[in-house]
Amino acid sequence: MGRIFGTDGVRGIANKDLTCELAMNIGRAVSEVLANNKHKKPKILIGKDTRLSSNMLEGALQAGICSAGADVLLLGVVPTPAVAYLVKKYSADAGIMISASHNSYEFNGIKIFDSNGYKLPDKIENQIEELLETGFENEENLIGDKLGNVIVETGAVRDYILHLESCVNKDFSGMKVAVDCSNGSACSTAEKLFKDLKADCHIISNNPNGININDNCGSTHLEGLSKYVKDNNMDLGIAFDGDADRCLAVDENGEVVDGDVIMAICAMYMKQNGMLRKNTVVGTIMTNMGFTDFCKREEIEFSSTKVGDRYVLEEMLDKGYNLGGEQSGHMILLDYSTTGDGQLTAVWLLNILNQGKMKLSEISKLVTKYPQSILNVEVSQKQKLEFNSNEKVNKIIFDSEEKLADKGRVVVRESGTEPLIRIMVECIDEVLLKEVMNDICIKLKELLKN
């Protein structure tokens, strides 16, 4: 068995890569590793998104957990950050979220949180993988009252919404907001949340049927939201992904406002109000150079990590920072959440706009973004492993960086969730950017063909 954990838990095509047997064994392994040496019966939360396969995997996980003698608390359809929040509130030993985030419905995934609501570090994931590989310590099946029980928690959505409402001013009266739920987890929470906050909210992509999650909607497909905002004279639009741990926006003109810009808006607000710890924001190597220009101009420190919100969080915890995120819309407000939370990001953005009586198009001018172009290269597992060490590939990238000189950069990285290599070219000169990216495309296509 190869490594099953990627940058965001376990992910694959449901019932093919991510089978019921694997899910059951993960449930058992999580119980043994995270609830080891506990004197009380362990308790593990399970939340899920709206995918057709989520119910199947939920059943397999709870079977594995109960067989190891731990109790299961079923949260139902909730956002990923709800699991992270509730695992601590409910004094559970671990929390599991069944979701493949922004991927299409045939994919699914398993994300695991510890008792404090943090995603598992590599060390703990390795312990779980070792159990899956070598077998379980207790091979004798438990029987009788040693088995775990399954309890349905009916208050999970309410408790999570109350938490979000406690993080902001509760009156957004007069704000017209379109909210795209991506036919995913936000369908269980967003409408009540925004109406409780008194926003004039129009909810779209809010009718999940098991196969329409992220289907031409949500944070990966903003065209529909942009059109809705313009056609209905909304103040702004908010879009979540399938498990609502990321948030992107469109302004009143339908223009996209990405995670870098939202993070800049929050950073400025936090600095002005004495809330930005150590005057520092954490981003990744994919963070737009326009954001770093913003930080220099506003005398805010910027710390960069590998791509993945887990690496952003690790840096924040290690150095004592409280704001970080990614261009894709993951943003971590560590004073309120232990993971990226799309709805928390959304209500914070609304709160800042409401307090300043500003339009999103105006405040978005904080960041002048550099043009970026991203090429997704489909590769085999072997090609993926060898990509960064391939001398011919490195020569293509080196030559491209030489051509860009000090006007831009090239970033190459492996996707942590898909069989892709992502190549990003960023350059202040859009003509040069297109020329360099076109050259990379031609040379890589020829190279990978052989």
Side-chain angles (χ1 to χ4, degrees):
M1 180 188 293
R3 181 166 172 81
I4 65 168
F5 283 94
T7 55
D8 200 16
V10 182
R11 195 173 296 189
I13 296 176
N15 217 29
K16 180 184 176 185
D17 308 311
L18 184 51
T19 62
C20 290
E21 181 183 23
L22 177 57
M24 184 172 68
N25 285 332
I26 289 172
R28 184 175 176 182
V30 168
S31 301
E32 291 202 7
V33 171
L34 294 184
N36 199 21
N37 299 322
K38 296 288 174 71
H39 298 296
K40 61 181 178 61
K41 182 173 276 193
K43 178 170 66 177
I44 296 176
L45 312 185
I46 301 180
K48 61 186 176 183
D49 70 15
T50 58
R51 288 162 214 272
L52 189 63
S53 59
S54 289
N55 291 334
M56 174 187 77
L57 294 172
E58 179 186 59
L61 278 165
Q62 61 183 303
I65 293 167
C66 290
S67 73
D71 288 338
V72 173
L73 198 62
L74 296 179
L75 305 180
V77 173
V78 292
T80 290
V83 177
Y85 168 71
L86 294 171
V87 70
K88 191 169 184 180
K89 180 176 176 63
Y90 293 166
S91 301
D93 297 282
I96 298 176
M97 179 66 184
I98 304 167
S99 176
S101 190
H102 62 283
N103 291 149
S104 53
Y105 83 95
E106 67 271 19
F107 289 87
N108 217 324
I110 294 173
K111 306 180 188 184
I112 307 168
F113 296 91
D114 67 15
S115 59
N116 292 309
Y118 293 109
K119 289 182 181 178
L120 300 185
D122 290 343
K123 180 182 176 182
I124 302 298
E125 287 183 348
N126 290 339
Q127 290 178 28
I128 293 172
E129 293 223 5
E130 187 177 348
L131 275 182
L132 296 173
E133 184 74 35
T134 62
F136 296 92
E137 293 178 14
N138 180 14
E139 291 294 347
E140 185 178 342
N141 290 336
L142 300 178
I143 60 173
D145 63 359
K146 290 184 172 60
L147 293 172
N149 192 21
V150 178
I151 304 153
V152 177
E153 173 54 64
T154 58
V157 169
R158 176 202 64 217
D159 289 342
Y160 174 61
I161 290 173
L162 287 173
H163 161 63
L164 293 177
E165 291 174 1
S166 73
C167 298
V168 292
N169 184 311
K170 292 185 172 59
D171 191 350
F172 295 162
S173 299
M175 299 189 77
K176 293 181 66 177
V177 186
V179 180
D180 185 338
C181 294
S182 201
N183 292 315
S185 290
C187 294
S188 67
T189 53
E191 185 166 13
K192 177 166 176 50
L193 170 64
F194 287 97
K195 285 186 175 178
D196 280 359
L197 295 172
K198 301 180 183 178
D200 178 5
C201 62
H202 294 212
I203 309 291
I204 64 174
S205 304
N206 193 40
N207 295 292
N209 61 13
I211 63 174
N212 63 357
I213 188 170
N214 301 314
D215 186 12
N216 291 314
C217 58
S219 62
T220 52
H221 302 279
L222 293 167
E223 302 82 9
L225 177 63
S226 179
K227 185 176 187 304
Y228 189 94
V229 166
K230 289 186 292 183
D231 290 349
N232 293 275
N233 297 313
M234 310 300 290
D235 292 321
L236 73 156
I238 295 293
F240 306 116
D241 63 337
D243 65 336
D245 67 349
R246 64 171 78 178
C247 165
L248 294 181
V250 298
D251 67 21
E252 72 278 8
N253 303 312
E255 297 297 320
V256 173
V257 178
D258 70 12
D260 287 343
V261 179
I262 295 172
M263 192 159 62
I265 293 168
C266 291
M268 178 63 78
Y269 176 85
M270 291 173 73
K271 177 170 183 173
Q272 290 173 346
N273 289 275
M275 301 168 67
L276 188 63
R277 279 193 225 154
K278 298 189 176 180
N279 194 42
T280 300
V281 181
V282 182
T284 75
I285 57 172
M286 296 294 283
T287 300
N288 195 281
M289 291 169 72
F291 182 86
T292 58
D293 287 348
F294 153 79
C295 287
K296 289 174 185 174
R297 187 180 70 245
E298 301 301 331
E299 298 182 335
I300 294 172
E301 298 296 320
F302 176 70
S303 178
S304 179
T305 73
K306 293 190 293 184
V307 173
D309 61 322
R310 66 181 297 168
Y311 302 115
V312 172
L313 178 61
E314 284 174 6
E315 177 75 358
M316 293 170 70
L317 292 172
D318 183 52
K319 303 289 176 56
Y321 307 138
N322 63 345
L323 177 64
E326 297 184 284
Q327 192 180 83
S328 59
H330 284 121
M331 195 171 84
I332 302 171
L333 289 154
L334 199 53
D335 292 335
Y336 304 95
S337 178
T338 56
T339 190
D341 189 329
Q343 287 171 107
L344 175 60
T345 300
V347 296
W348 250 66
L349 178 61
L350 290 179
N351 199 45
I352 293 168
L353 293 173
N354 191 42
Q355 285 189 25
K357 303 303 177 189
M358 293 175 288
K359 291 183 177 181
L360 184 53
S361 62
E362 295 171 354
I363 197 170
S364 295
K365 292 174 183 175
L366 280 172
V367 177
T368 302
K369 292 177 61 182
Y370 284 45
Q372 289 182 337
S373 179
I374 296 176
L375 171 67
N376 291 322
V377 183
E378 289 191 29
V379 290
S380 66
Q381 186 61 26
K382 184 173 183 292
Q383 287 174 322
K384 189 173 181 178
L385 291 172
E386 297 175 351
F387 199 86
N388 285 327
S389 60
N390 187 303
E391 290 184 9
K392 292 181 179 178
V393 169
N394 288 332
K395 177 74 165 55
I396 293 170
I397 302 305
F398 178 80
D399 289 346
S400 300
E401 289 175 330
E402 288 277 288
K403 195 167 186 178
L404 288 169
D406 60 352
K407 293 183 179 179
R409 61 184 181 137
V410 180
V411 178
V412 181
R413 69 177 186 90
E414 301 171 8
S415 169
T417 57
E418 297 173 87
L420 298 172
I421 297 292
R422 304 191 195 278
I423 299 174
M424 187 269 284
V425 179
E426 183 176 47
C427 182
I428 197 167
D429 182 338
E430 197 157 4
V431 174
L432 180 57
L433 181 150
K434 290 177 181 177
E435 183 181 319
V436 169
M437 179 56 89
N438 184 58
D439 190 47
I440 290 174
C441 287
I442 292 170
K443 289 178 179 177
L444 275 182
K445 190 179 289 185
E446 184 65 30
L447 178 63
L448 294 173
K449 189 170 64 177
N450 299 327

